Amino acid sequence: SGAQSMPYTYDNNLKTSEATMTLVYPRDWTEEGVTMLSLWFRGDAANAAERMYVALNGNAVVYHPNANATQTATWTEWVIDLKAFQGVNLTNVNTVAIGFGTKGSPAAGGSGKMYFDDIRLIRPTP
């Protein structure tokens, strides 16, 4: 809810911004029936509008459906079906990254500050 969230300042002036975590555990994202990745984020209306994405193993990328997600000024949950990460072996996830811009295609862009919290794997609700 913000008290212990991860702040991230991005600057996409002719680059993309990305925070990557190398995983030790859990690396098997199929254990215990999990099928989704959930993360909570908050931006600011003053932020530059940038695409937000999550990437697994450096190349399986899913973009947030709202191209202006960085300007969302309230805590918002983003739930991603793990099937959306095309070409990744979900039994061996090495890295997870949160980024801004278009991965692998730096362009002129802006800057801002985001907050992330409660990043977790979840099971479908019955």
Side-chain angles (χ1 to χ4, degrees):
S1 303
Q4 294 293 315
S5 61
M6 177 183 87
Y8 186 80
T9 302
Y10 66 91
D11 178 0
N12 282 8
N13 188 17
L14 302 177
K15 58 189 173 211
T16 54
S17 300
E18 187 175 276
T20 303
M21 180 177 181
T22 301
L23 301 177
V24 176
Y25 178 85
R27 290 178 53 152
D28 183 349
W29 285 21
T30 63
E31 289 179 349
E32 300 184 33
V34 299
T35 60
M36 295 171 279
L37 173 67
S38 168
L39 65 97
W40 286 83
F41 70 91
R42 180 176 63 89
D44 190 299
N47 284 350
E50 294 286 349
R51 294 177 81 184
M52 182 169 62
Y53 64 83
V54 172
L56 301 183
N57 292 352
N59 58 10
V61 180
V62 173
Y63 290 93
H64 193 279
N66 177 358
N68 300 326
T70 54
Q71 295 178 323
T72 303
T74 59
W75 281 105
T76 304
E77 183 181 23
W78 181 17
V79 178
I80 305 168
D81 188 321
L82 294 178
K83 292 178 195 170
F85 293 102
Q86 297 293 314
V88 69
N89 178 0
L90 293 172
T91 64
N92 189 25
V93 178
N94 298 313
T95 61
V96 60
I98 300 170
F100 303 94
T102 301
K103 186 160 177 65
S105 297
S111 61
K113 188 171 188 175
M114 298 289 293
Y115 295 90
F116 295 94
D117 209 347
D118 297 327
I119 301 169
R120 59 194 176 117
L121 297 169
I122 56 175
R123 293 182 195 99
T125 54

